[in-house]
Amino acid sequence: MTRPIIEMRNVVKSFGLFKALHGVNLQVKEGEIVVVIGPSGSGKSTLIRCINQLEEHNSGEIIVDGAEVGRGRKSTVLTEVGMVFQSFNLFPHMTVLRNVALGPVRVRGLSWASAEERARRLLTRVGLEGHVEKYPAQLSGGQQQRVGIARALAMEPKVLLFDEPTSALDPEMVGEVLDVMQQLAKTGVTMVVVTHEMGFARRVADRVVFMDGGRIIEEGPPDEIFNAPRDPRLGSFLQAVLSH
């Protein structure tokens, strides 16, 4: 049995009086692709941001790769967690190559030569080999997001988190990013993906998690979630998003 690489136990997160996560329990196994869906404001992004401690949870436990994280604990384990953001978060004053190579130099202690060699290999993998000396502003949104994926991969993380990676993109660019993610999913890397892309969830996920109101309402294989939802809230959510 593959071990869980992420465990959330009764995790609560509040912003002032607003409770964003109500005692969430979730396990993600090594090599598993978990896709988190749900309406806006359901706690999906907060969930993922608590895993890599961009947000500090208030109570409960989050264990990543065997080490508890957050609530005052500084854990080196978080260098094993890569994150791809909605808004790319690239450094505008650095070339694409430098954006991807920086993390391995700063955090992993690689030489610039080794890091740039790794960066070139990854940029080729995401279809950007001809753009290494460009700056982010010279790229389309879809290309910038593919740089973001290469940058996360450059750290050779054990887990990749995606926070709505296509929501800031024009519709015609969504496909190129989802294609790269689909290829990644075949490599055995553990992925937790927050997305509104139901087709991607259906094709790529090992397990789909549906959130509403800061709680996990239902989870299961894509077939069950999409074809035989048990909770009426999931049923009405799918009806709303799939009818567009």
Side-chain angles (χ1 to χ4, degrees):
M1 195 66 177
T2 331
R3 73 189 182 107
I5 194 158
I6 298 170
E7 285 186 87
M8 302 181 83
R9 300 175 186 160
N10 208 24
V11 172
V12 172
K13 172 64 186 171
S14 299
F15 296 96
L17 297 174
F18 173 69
K19 199 177 259 192
L21 296 178
H22 294 259
V24 165
N25 292 293
L26 178 69
Q27 277 198 352
V28 180
K29 295 193 173 69
E30 275 184 320
E32 192 177 20
I33 313 293
V34 172
V35 176
V36 185
I37 63 171
S40 293
S42 60
K44 308 183 300 293
S45 287
T46 303
L47 173 114
I48 215 165
R49 289 171 70 84
C50 282
I51 292 172
N52 75 344
Q53 292 304 298
L54 288 172
E55 301 291 353
E56 187 105 339
H57 56 293
N58 299 97
S59 61
E61 291 177 303
I62 300 177
I63 294 157
V64 178
D65 197 23
E68 193 173 349
V69 299
R71 297 180 52 224
R73 287 177 196 79
K74 288 287 167 239
S75 178
T76 55
V77 77
L78 291 177
T79 58
E80 306 301 335
V81 179
M83 180 90 166
V84 177
F85 298 89
Q86 190 171 336
S87 51
F88 324 136
N89 289 17
L90 301 176
F91 295 112
H93 62 290
M94 284 187 183
T95 62
V96 163
L97 187 67
R98 283 267 152 149
N99 261 285
V100 177
L102 182 68
V105 171
R106 289 273 171 86
V107 182
R108 298 282 197 216
L110 262 66
S111 68
W112 274 108
S114 303
E116 288 189 356
E117 188 185 326
R118 182 184 292 182
R120 284 179 195 280
R121 193 173 69 244
L122 289 167
L123 287 163
T124 300
R125 187 164 156 192
V126 298
L128 292 173
E129 58 275 17
H131 299 275
V132 293
E133 296 304 335
K134 289 185 178 170
Y135 289 86
Q138 296 172 287
L139 303 179
S140 70
Q143 288 169 331
Q144 288 187 58
Q145 191 57 292
R146 284 186 279 153
V147 175
I149 293 172
R151 181 182 58 183
L153 285 171
M155 295 292 288
E156 298 189 336
K158 292 182 177 173
V159 179
L160 268 179
L161 307 175
F162 293 83
D163 187 10
E164 303 201 12
T166 58
S167 63
L169 299 177
D170 293 333
E172 66 271 20
M173 292 172 189
V174 169
E176 66 187 72
V177 172
L178 292 179
D179 285 348
V180 167
M181 290 170 65
Q182 211 162 330
Q183 293 308 313
L184 267 185
K186 294 174 184 164
T187 65
V189 65
T190 309
M191 289 165 59
V192 182
V193 183
V194 169
T195 187
H196 290 289
E197 300 293 335
M198 296 301 133
F200 176 82
R202 202 171 220 156
R203 281 193 311 276
V204 179
D206 296 309
R207 184 158 44 107
V208 177
V209 171
F210 170 67
M211 290 187 74
D212 194 16
R215 293 180 168 87
I216 291 176
I217 305 297
E218 195 168 327
E219 56 184 297
D223 268 5
E224 281 176 24
I225 293 290
F226 288 102
N227 300 330
R230 295 187 303 276
D231 191 283
R233 276 173 293 181
L234 173 56
S236 57
F237 169 76
L238 290 173
Q239 207 169 356
V241 293
L242 297 174
S243 61
H244 285 312

